[in-house]
Amino acid sequence: MKLTTWNINGIRAREQALLRWIAVAQPDVLCLQEIKADLTQIPESLQNLATHTALWNGSAKKGYSGTALLVSNTLIQTHGDAVFSIPSFDAESRTVQAVIGKTVVIGVYVPRGEKDAAHYKWKLDFFTALETHTASLIAAGHDVVLCGDMNVAHKDLDVHPSQQNPEACGQRPPEREAIDRVMATGFQDVYRNLHAGEEGCFSWWPYWRNARERNLGWRLDYIYATPRLAASATAAVIDSSEASSDHSPVSTQFVI
Amino acid sequence: MKLTTWNINGIRAREQALLRWIAVAQPDVLCLQEIKADLTQIPESLQNLATHTALWNGSAKKGYSGTALLVSNTLIQTHGDAVFSIPSFDAESRTVQAVIGKTVVIGVYVPRGEKDAAHYKWKLDFFTALETHTASLIAAGHDVVLCGDMNVAHKDLDVHPSQQNPEACGQRPPEREAIDRVMATGFQDVYRNLHAGEEGCFSWWPYWRNARERNLGWRLDYIYATPRLAASATAAVIDSSEASSDHSPVSTQFVI
DNA sequence: CGTCCTAAG
DNA sequence: CTTAAGACG
């Protein structure tokens, strides 16, 4: 099962790039964040994909946030009619979930938390709710994939040395500890498992000052998996050649 | 003296088209409307033209309205230091004026008047103020050119037959009569003098429904001149090949 | 910087 | 349709 998470920063602006990328990469599961569109605004071409069935969690606030989870029709046929959605646990369309075979896939778009103190606290609360949710799924015996834009660089290694700053939102100890607690419910960082200690692995770059060309990035997009799944991962890649959004797609291949 | 009036719909979006057009057309006087920029936002290339000196009446409301009058440096040198500006008679940067030799050139951007009844009344008041202003200049013996985006199609001939509608703002009898009264202070319509009865002469087309390609336009941009000047006009053209704005430049050549 | 919103034309 | 401002990231 090839799974990808990608913050596409506007599904309307990304229509062509996204169609092309899906055709080439052929992911079995594709979690999208920041679609910035409601159900009436999503391009028809993406609503009517021949290859995939989509769960849309469209933007509740116009042009803001929004997530989706696309599952290849092959996989659905193989595993039966096992796709369903749950309401997001906030009013900003930040989560989407599907059950595929015996695996639960959760896609999240964690709030940035930089607006003010309340927003930052809400970001930490988001992780706490996530922790509760994944703990209960894992306790029930599910294999779980939790992926998406965490809006936190989990370790110093996940930020370019020139951009490291423990005061910066996205690098603060409390956020990193919140991720620790989510992972402690039973997850491994699939990309880091396969690229242990490797420097310069980023999935987001600011649009300004040629940050992408200079690789002054952060790793904000993660695929966490429960141990059996994580052990089955044969590859994990960040496709930094796909530079249409400020985030690049992060993919892995599970053998299940 | 070659004079042009052009509603450019955003001087920042028009920077390259405008530079190119000035280089090719070499107008002696260029009246611009809807520059949609204040003095700090006007592109440097246009502030530092080698060929022309500009009077900017920058947008008072951010990104809204704004006019300018550019005079070729040759003309200034020929006629001495005769360029000056007057404050606009409203708070929306809609007028600009220069004295060039013995001729007064006035550039105006008349309000559209479509928002509500008060706005429409204000449009009519604008013409009344204009009438007072031009009457006094003409009484003082000046040659006067009044040009710009009048936001009124003066005659039925100035609107494509399929778009004619006496209820439509820009075609209503009171607006047309307001133009009549301004012209009665002593002006002739230079373009119409040289294209009497000619159909399909428009200077504005809606951006939508391929109106420009189908010539479903209106003539909204006029050059009015006092009789001696008007009689000297050897040509008047609408350069509809310049299609970067929704208005095309309207030019005439006076022999003075 | 880029995407989307809204106001205005 | 197009421009530009403003919110947000």
Side-chain angles (χ1 to χ4, degrees):
Chain A
M1 181 177 79
K2 180 172 180 183
L3 178 144
T4 299
T5 179
W6 190 8
N7 179 319
I8 53 171
N9 191 20
I11 200 167
R12 283 169 285 180
R14 213 64 62 229
E15 181 178 6
Q16 295 313 319
L18 190 50
L19 285 168
R20 215 172 316 134
W21 192 86
I22 292 171
V24 171
Q26 303 193 330
D28 294 301
V29 180
L30 175 56
C31 293
L32 300 176
Q33 299 89 42
E34 285 208 90
I35 66 173
K36 293 188 173 184
D38 65 30
L39 295 181
T40 68
Q41 298 171 315
I42 293 161
E44 290 228 8
S45 61
L46 288 160
Q47 301 213 34
N48 303 327
L49 281 173
T51 51
H52 291 73
T53 299
L55 300 173
W56 302 107
N57 189 357
S59 301
K61 294 163 79 165
K62 257 189 171 309
Y64 180 79
S65 187
T67 47
L69 196 162
L70 281 65
V71 185
S72 89
N73 292 332
T74 324
L75 206 64
I76 291 176
Q77 281 156 21
T78 304
H79 292 260
D81 184 23
V83 177
F84 63 94
S85 75
I86 55 164
S88 58
F89 47 70
D90 63 61
E92 291 194 355
S93 319
R94 292 177 176 275
T95 68
V96 65
Q97 173 176 299
V99 177
I100 297 164
K102 55 195 300 281
T103 302
V104 180
V105 177
I106 306 169
V108 298
Y109 170 46
V110 176
R112 196 146 179 273
E114 204 167 19
K115 206 169 57 189
D116 52 34
H119 202 233
Y120 179 66
K121 184 187 176 304
W122 187 54
K123 179 182 195 173
L124 298 179
D125 293 346
F126 190 100
F127 282 118
T128 305
L130 207 49
E131 187 189 336
T132 306
H133 183 62
T134 58
S136 97
L137 287 171
I138 291 168
H142 291 287
D143 291 335
V144 180
V145 178
L146 168 63
C147 67
D149 176 359
M150 302 296 161
N151 259 321
V152 175
H154 188 206
K155 305 284 186 186
D156 279 346
L157 189 57
D158 299 323
V159 181
H160 187 279
S162 71
Q163 309 301 307
Q164 287 175 10
N165 171 8
E167 319 266 293
C169 188
Q171 298 184 40
R172 295 172 189 155
E175 310 174 69
R176 291 180 165 180
E177 289 155 16
I179 299 255
D180 288 337
R181 287 190 299 272
V182 172
M183 291 188 70
T185 66
F187 289 114
Q188 293 177 24
D189 178 337
V190 172
Y191 185 89
R192 190 54 80 196
N193 272 0
L194 292 162
H195 298 269
E198 194 177 319
E199 295 177 356
C201 301
F202 310 126
S203 66
W204 173 82
W205 301 260
Y207 274 122
W208 49 93
R209 271 179 290 191
N210 281 328
R212 186 187 270 270
E213 288 70 15
R214 299 155 69 199
N215 200 30
L216 304 182
W218 304 34
R219 193 163 70 102
L220 296 178
D221 303 275
Y222 293 87
I223 299 169
Y224 298 136
T226 43
R228 210 180 61 87
L229 271 173
S232 85
T234 55
V237 294
I238 301 173
D239 181 5
S240 51
S241 75
E242 176 52 65
S244 51
S245 163
D246 51 346
H247 296 250
S248 282
V250 181
S251 303
T252 193
Q253 176 82 43
F254 296 115
V255 180
I256 52 170
Chain B
M1 181 176 77
K2 179 171 180 185
L3 177 144
T4 300
T5 178
W6 191 9
N7 179 322
I8 53 171
N9 190 18
I11 200 168
R12 284 170 286 181
R14 214 62 64 228
E15 181 179 3
Q16 296 312 319
L18 189 49
L19 285 169
R20 213 171 319 132
W21 191 86
I22 291 171
V24 172
Q26 303 192 332
D28 294 302
V29 179
L30 175 57
C31 294
L32 301 175
Q33 299 90 39
E34 285 208 270
I35 65 173
K36 294 188 174 185
D38 64 29
L39 294 182
T40 69
Q41 297 171 316
I42 293 161
E44 289 228 8
S45 61
L46 288 159
Q47 301 214 33
N48 302 327
L49 282 173
T51 51
H52 290 73
T53 298
L55 299 174
W56 303 106
N57 189 357
S59 300
K61 293 163 80 166
K62 258 192 171 304
Y64 181 79
S65 186
T67 48
L69 197 163
L70 281 64
V71 185
S72 87
N73 292 332
T74 325
L75 207 65
I76 291 176
Q77 281 156 22
T78 305
H79 292 261
D81 183 24
V83 177
F84 64 94
S85 75
I86 57 163
S88 59
F89 48 70
D90 62 60
E92 291 194 354
S93 320
R94 292 177 176 277
T95 68
V96 64
Q97 173 176 297
V99 177
I100 296 164
K102 53 195 301 284
T103 302
V104 180
V105 177
I106 306 170
V108 299
Y109 171 45
V110 176
R112 196 148 178 271
E114 203 165 22
K115 205 169 59 186
D116 53 34
H119 202 232
Y120 178 66
K121 185 188 175 300
W122 186 54
K123 179 183 193 173
L124 298 179
D125 293 345
F126 190 100
F127 282 117
T128 307
L130 206 50
E131 186 188 338
T132 307
H133 184 62
T134 58
S136 97
L137 287 171
I138 292 168
H142 291 284
D143 290 337
V144 181
V145 179
L146 168 63
C147 67
D149 176 359
M150 302 296 162
N151 260 319
V152 174
H154 188 206
K155 305 284 185 185
D156 279 345
L157 188 58
D158 299 323
V159 181
H160 187 279
S162 70
Q163 309 301 306
Q164 287 175 8
N165 172 9
E167 318 266 291
C169 188
Q171 299 184 40
R172 295 174 188 153
E175 311 173 67
R176 292 179 164 179
E177 289 155 15
I179 299 254
D180 288 338
R181 287 191 298 273
V182 172
M183 290 187 70
T185 66
F187 289 112
Q188 295 177 25
D189 177 338
V190 172
Y191 186 89
R192 190 54 79 196
N193 272 1
L194 292 162
H195 299 268
E198 193 176 323
E199 294 179 357
C201 301
F202 309 126
S203 65
W204 173 82
W205 302 260
Y207 273 124
W208 48 94
R209 272 178 289 189
N210 282 329
R212 186 187 272 271
E213 289 71 14
R214 300 154 68 199
N215 200 29
L216 304 182
W218 303 33
R219 192 164 69 106
L220 297 178
D221 304 274
Y222 295 84
I223 300 169
Y224 298 136
T226 44
R228 211 180 59 88
L229 271 172
S232 84
T234 55
V237 294
I238 300 173
D239 179 6
S240 51
S241 74
E242 175 55 62
S244 51
S245 165
D246 51 346
H247 296 250
S248 283
V250 180
S251 303
T252 193
Q253 175 83 44
F254 296 115
V255 180
I256 53 172

